[in-house]
Amino acid sequence: MIVWDGPSTTNPHITYSVKTIKDYTPDPTVAKVVERHLNKVKALELAPIYRNPAGSPPLSSKGMRRGETTIGTLICTALRKSLELEVVLLDGGNIRGNSDYPDGTFSLAALRKEQPFESEIAVMRIPGQVLSDALHFSRQKEGVEENAGYLQRDDRVTVDASKRITHINGEPIDPQRLYLSGMLRVTIGGMNNNQPIIDWTKTLTSPLPTVESCPPAKPAVLNYFARKLWEHLPPFEEIDRDKDGSLSREEVKNAYISAFSPDVDGDNVVSEVETIALNSLVDRLIDALDLDGDDKITKAEYEKFLGSSAHTKKNKKGKNKKDKGKKKEKKPKDKKDKGNKKEKKHNN
Ligand SMILES: [Ca+2]
Ligand SMILES: [Ca+2]
Ligand SMILES: [Ca+2]
């Protein structure tokens, strides 16, 4: 309480006391609203967006600023694939979960925790030498000192004991070659003071990409995971139960249920929270492929992302599509604009 003794008082008396929220009975209407919102949050915990393949090193984001982590590699790889790039290097300080995922499941909530901020990816052609120097520079105190600019790398980059890049996209590095690369827009802009990057940007004759022209990282990562989930679902023809040539929300939901149990906690009841989680994953699955936004997946939309890599074992018919997919991964030339458009669409 603040009390002024009179009109001329300049210093009022202030009295206060600390109250415990537990002393108050919750308002039942408000409590219901809160519960509904908390259920949504809990549901995200239950929505597994990625499962670590058996035999892979355990998922962890601990020590992101002092060494390579499996989550760091996973997120860089997700961006490389989603944006169709040759190489992605990301500042460890941008990935913040600092968590272990011992059961190998990565949920929507975990993804939010790891990538709490909106960040844009600058897609640029960067010389191999600059990429290697930048990575080396960021890792000088590897294992010893925290460095927010410690560069994590995607799964097709190989680094030797001297902390230099030997391979990009699985091929021996060519120091002179320009690689279609993804790095944080802010890193290219000088954040975390990566000297080789700063020196290289000074040599550029054209301006750095604007924030608006850079695809946002979060939806790109999410799309990658959602597309990976599709690979666990039955082939298109099996999902399309009414045989009308496109996949409805209901059909996608049934396909998801056939592959993953919505009863995540295994108590034989699909609770309200588990239902929200299920619906939210079905949304993600559809968003990841639905280019025209009509909430249905046509064969063409499906094949654009999955005709290539999915069901190559199960679906033997897709031979030529498999080859097409391989080409797509090896030659990511001039896909920048397409990538941007694609990501912009899902930026919500
Ligand atoms: Ca159908
Ligand atoms: Ca349950
Ligand atoms: Ca569609």
Side-chain angles (χ1 to χ4, degrees):
M1 197 166 26
I2 305 174
V3 178
W4 280 264
D5 292 333
S8 57
T9 314
T10 48
N11 295 327
H13 297 289
I14 300 171
T15 53
Y16 71 93
S17 62
V18 178
K19 306 265 186 197
T20 313
I21 198 157
K22 281 182 188 152
D23 296 343
Y24 295 87
T25 320
D27 177 84
T29 317
V30 175
K32 266 204 168 154
V33 174
V34 170
E35 198 198 327
R36 224 171 37 235
H37 283 281
L38 283 181
N39 276 351
K40 281 188 193 164
V41 176
K42 277 188 227 154
L44 293 183
E45 299 281 357
L46 291 182
I49 193 74
Y50 178 79
R51 287 176 206 274
N52 206 21
S56 312
L59 290 179
S60 174
S61 58
K62 286 200 169 151
M64 193 65 80
R65 295 164 181 233
R66 55 171 70 214
E68 282 189 2
T69 67
T70 44
I71 291 286
T73 302
L74 184 63
I75 289 181
C76 290
T77 303
L79 286 168
R80 178 174 65 73
K81 292 204 172 180
S82 187
L83 300 175
E84 298 178 20
L85 306 173
E86 289 177 286
V87 48
V88 170
L89 302 176
L90 274 196
D91 298 45
N94 188 250
I95 306 169
R96 302 206 162 199
N98 199 32
S99 301
D100 291 324
Y101 300 92
D103 67 354
T105 303
F106 198 56
S107 68
L108 283 174
L111 185 57
R112 282 194 180 181
K113 193 169 70 176
E114 296 292 350
Q115 282 193 293
F117 310 119
E118 297 302 332
S119 46
E120 290 79 26
I121 302 299
V123 174
M124 299 180 80
R125 292 192 182 274
I126 305 179
Q129 187 67 54
V130 173
L131 291 167
S132 185
D133 289 350
L135 180 125
H136 178 263
F137 182 86
S138 81
R139 295 187 174 193
Q140 287 172 86
K141 292 179 179 158
E142 186 171 50
V144 183
E145 232 174 65
E146 298 243 315
N147 172 15
Y150 181 97
L151 288 174
Q152 300 287 328
R153 49 101 196 164
D154 71 69
D155 67 349
R156 306 259 295 165
V157 167
T158 312
V159 180
D160 67 11
S162 68
K163 296 160 197 154
R164 303 265 177 200
I165 295 179
T166 60
H167 291 71
I168 288 180
N169 206 11
E171 308 271 334
I173 189 170
D174 174 351
Q176 309 306 322
R177 216 195 108 189
L178 298 175
Y179 290 92
L180 191 58
S181 314
M183 293 187 79
L184 289 176
R185 169 66 180 74
V186 285
T187 306
I188 300 287
M191 188 190 74
N192 292 332
N193 303 312
N194 190 304
Q195 202 56 48
I197 290 290
I198 292 170
D199 292 343
W200 169 70
T201 54
K202 281 182 190 155
T203 68
L204 296 176
T205 47
S206 50
L208 295 177
T210 61
V211 171
E212 295 71 35
S213 72
C214 295
K218 261 195 210 174
V221 171
L222 190 55
N223 277 353
Y224 168 76
F225 287 130
R227 286 169 198 163
K228 292 288 281 182
L229 270 191
W230 273 96
E231 294 176 9
H232 296 282
L233 304 190
F236 186 94
E237 286 72 19
E238 248 173 71
I239 304 177
D240 184 19
R241 293 215 184 145
D242 64 4
K243 306 291 168 210
D244 71 343
S246 78
L247 309 180
S248 66
R249 171 167 294 268
E250 213 46 41
E251 286 172 333
V252 174
K253 193 187 224 174
N254 288 332
Y256 180 83
I257 293 171
S258 76
F260 302 96
S261 170
D263 176 22
V264 184
D265 62 6
D267 67 350
N268 292 322
V269 180
V270 178
S271 65
E272 190 198 336
V273 177
E274 285 166 336
T275 305
I276 300 171
L278 169 65
N279 288 329
S280 142
L281 277 169
V282 172
D283 286 345
R284 296 282 89 77
L285 282 168
I286 292 178
D287 282 357
L289 304 195
D290 185 17
L291 290 175
D292 65 0
D294 70 348
D295 221 28
K296 285 185 176 165
I297 307 302
T298 60
K299 189 80 197 260
E301 286 172 327
Y302 180 89
E303 285 185 341
K304 174 139 176 39
F305 302 109
L306 285 140
S308 49
S309 58
H311 313 305
T312 43
K313 283 171 219 146
K314 284 186 235 166
N315 187 1
K316 288 178 183 110
K317 281 178 282 179
K319 237 191 240 162
N320 48 353
K321 283 158 206 156
K322 184 171 144 194
D323 294 339
K324 204 173 91 196
K326 270 188 186 157
K327 229 187 282 166
K328 192 166 137 195
E329 171 131 301
K330 274 191 183 157
K331 275 205 254 164
K333 269 183 221 159
D334 302 323
K335 292 274 171 75
K336 182 182 158 189
D337 295 338
K338 213 174 81 195
N340 283 352
K341 224 190 291 166
K342 205 161 63 199
E343 295 315 321
K344 280 275 150 62
K345 186 176 170 294
H346 295 292
N347 187 14
N348 49 20

